[in-house]
Amino acid sequence: MVMMKTDTSFLVWLVQLDWRKGKVNPFMSSIRAKLKPRPMPLNVFQDIDGLPRIILTEPTGSSAEVLLYGGQVVSWKNERKEELLFMSSKANWKQSKAIRGGISVCFPQFENIIAQEQQGSVRNRLWSLDRDPSPLPPSDNQSSVDLILKSAGFDLRTRAYSFEFRLRISLSAGKLILIPRVRNTDNKAVSFTLSISNYLSVSDISEVRVEGLETLDYFDNLMNRSRFTEQADAITFDDQMDRVYLHTPKKIAIIDHEKKRTFVLQKNAMPDAVVWNPGCKKAKALPDLGDDDYKFMICVDSAAIETPIVLKPFEEWKGYQELSTVSSSYCSGQLDPSKVLYGFHSPP
């Protein structure tokens, strides 16, 4: 008498055998269903402002908070419970208004970063949980959430096309990943620009330098979008800045000298980068920003601005952004590029 093996490898072999024969075995289908990990329920609750909020956690203790309103990340804390994102002390939490701070998507157009109402309608809309995020691989619902926003009447009137915008937000030890996907659901070609706006928390803007954008061309929004070439060996801040750097590398380092911490921004399919800080004078003129808030924030965005993305009917675009933090120190006034700009694997 031959005993049938019941270990996992044998079940996998049976599945592969059925697949090669082009068959669907009801027994094996039930086995696969039992072996498939069951998704964990998302931690969703209503905050005091009535906004649906999702809490992501992971084993080392870091966390992130995501609003369905705007599909916006409003908090990212490391394992020591230190907040890594900046949120304005005068942020408007009422629906129909953009919330200044955190991480948000600007789509289907990107204008001057100061004029937030011009940055695209998706910032002011209520997103939904995406129950079918294919073709992305399955996610652990404890540390990932998939959101979707489908075009409605307001988009069709203002942009005259229809789309589906999917966004996966994933948290892991020391990393926060955003994967945006835009699908053209219209019967004609469409074009758009976009950015992922990252408000990062820093000790003091005067102690911050951005590396990885040296020698690149940029548009200066403070000088009527005039084009210049970066001459400095790193970007530092002593006044207002609003620039769009072009054809940027996949990795950018934002170094906070006082905190001895470096944010590493890795991106794909978004060739441009926005660097913004309002400075003292402009901060006082913005109604949703505290007078001194500019000192404790910097915006470095992943973007596609100079050349709009064009999608054929039912074509899809996918981007990638990864934010991580590493301890850092200065060496001859600069971070060792081999440890940050070139010391990590490229994003997919």
Side-chain angles (χ1 to χ4, degrees):
M1 178 177 180
V2 179
M3 297 296 294
M4 178 179 289
K5 294 183 179 180
T6 58
D7 59 27
T8 304
S9 60
F10 180 72
L11 293 175
V12 171
W13 177 79
L14 281 179
V15 171
Q16 293 173 341
L17 183 62
D18 276 355
W19 178 79
R20 291 192 191 103
K21 294 179 179 179
K23 297 179 180 179
V24 178
N25 187 312
F27 170 74
M28 291 312 304
S29 296
S30 65
I31 291 295
R32 287 195 296 268
K34 291 178 181 178
L35 291 176
K36 183 179 179 180
R38 295 180 180 179
M40 298 293 292
L42 285 171
N43 187 2
V44 184
F45 69 95
Q46 298 273 345
D47 64 16
I48 58 175
D49 298 290
L51 300 176
R53 187 179 297 236
I54 300 161
I55 306 297
L56 302 179
T57 59
E58 57 84 33
T60 68
S62 64
S63 65
E65 299 183 17
V66 182
L67 297 184
L68 289 183
Y69 179 70
Q72 187 162 350
V73 183
V74 293
S75 175
W76 174 32
K77 294 180 181 178
N78 62 19
E79 67 281 0
R80 296 185 297 277
K81 310 305 179 185
E82 298 170 331
E83 181 59 66
L84 302 174
L85 301 180
F86 167 85
M87 185 59 65
S88 169
S89 62
K90 292 185 177 180
N92 189 334
W93 294 90
K94 298 184 182 298
Q95 293 194 40
S96 79
K97 297 292 183 180
I99 301 170
R100 190 178 291 279
I103 302 175
S104 60
V105 177
C106 304
F107 172 89
Q109 74 277 346
F110 180 88
E111 303 289 346
N112 190 325
I113 194 168
I114 294 174
Q116 289 208 358
E117 294 301 323
Q118 300 176 16
Q119 288 190 24
S121 55
V122 301
R123 294 166 60 90
N124 304 325
R125 303 295 164 179
L126 193 64
W127 294 53
S128 301
L129 294 176
D130 187 0
R131 302 297 185 183
D132 185 22
S134 177
L136 292 180
S139 65
D140 173 7
N141 282 8
Q142 286 281 46
S143 57
S144 294
V145 62
D146 290 286
L147 306 179
I148 186 171
L149 181 69
K150 297 182 180 182
S151 59
F154 65 90
D155 294 303
L156 295 177
R157 288 195 302 270
T158 58
R159 299 295 295 177
Y161 64 79
S162 60
F163 65 86
E164 289 179 354
F165 198 123
R166 285 181 160 87
L167 180 64
R168 169 169 291 184
I169 302 166
S170 296
L171 174 73
S172 61
K175 294 181 181 181
L176 186 64
I177 296 172
L178 278 75
I179 302 177
R181 291 185 293 151
V182 179
R183 181 175 177 81
N184 176 11
T185 56
D186 214 319
N187 57 8
K188 59 180 179 294
V190 302
S191 66
F192 59 87
T193 59
L194 87 162
S195 80
I196 298 179
S197 181
N198 304 299
Y199 280 76
L200 305 177
S201 176
V202 297
S203 59
D204 190 301
I205 191 62
S206 65
E207 298 288 340
V208 172
R209 57 191 286 132
V210 179
E211 296 189 0
L213 304 177
E214 304 83 26
T215 74
L216 299 181
D217 286 358
Y218 64 88
F219 293 127
D220 194 329
N221 288 323
L222 302 180
M223 300 186 69
N224 298 316
R225 290 182 58 83
S226 297
R227 186 164 181 154
F228 300 93
T229 300
E230 182 59 62
Q231 302 295 326
D233 60 359
I235 300 170
T236 56
F237 302 82
D238 55 12
D239 202 352
Q240 181 181 359
M241 182 177 293
D242 187 358
R243 299 175 181 176
V244 179
Y245 284 82
L246 310 174
H247 307 292
T248 60
K250 291 184 176 181
K251 299 175 187 177
I252 300 171
I254 302 98
I255 306 164
D256 189 335
H257 179 42
E258 185 172 322
K259 287 190 176 181
K260 294 182 173 58
R261 180 173 66 199
T262 295
F263 290 97
V264 180
L265 172 63
Q266 300 189 67
K267 58 192 181 67
N268 195 27
M270 291 176 282
D272 306 322
V274 178
V275 179
W276 179 69
N277 182 278
C280 179
K281 185 177 179 179
K282 190 63 185 183
K284 293 179 179 179
L286 293 172
D288 61 347
L289 191 68
D291 289 354
D292 293 328
D293 281 357
Y294 76 95
K295 297 178 182 179
F296 311 113
M297 56 145 288
I298 181 175
C299 274
V300 182
D301 303 354
S302 306
I305 298 173
E306 182 188 26
T307 303
I309 296 168
V310 179
L311 294 180
K312 298 176 182 177
F314 307 105
E315 190 176 19
E316 182 177 274
W317 168 88
K318 183 175 76 171
Y320 179 93
Q321 174 184 286
E322 177 184 305
L323 278 170
S324 59
T325 59
V326 295
S327 298
S328 61
S329 60
Y330 277 88
C331 178
S332 301
Q334 291 185 339
L335 187 74
D336 182 356
S338 65
K339 293 182 179 179
V340 175
L341 292 180
Y342 308 108
F344 297 88
H345 296 294
S346 297

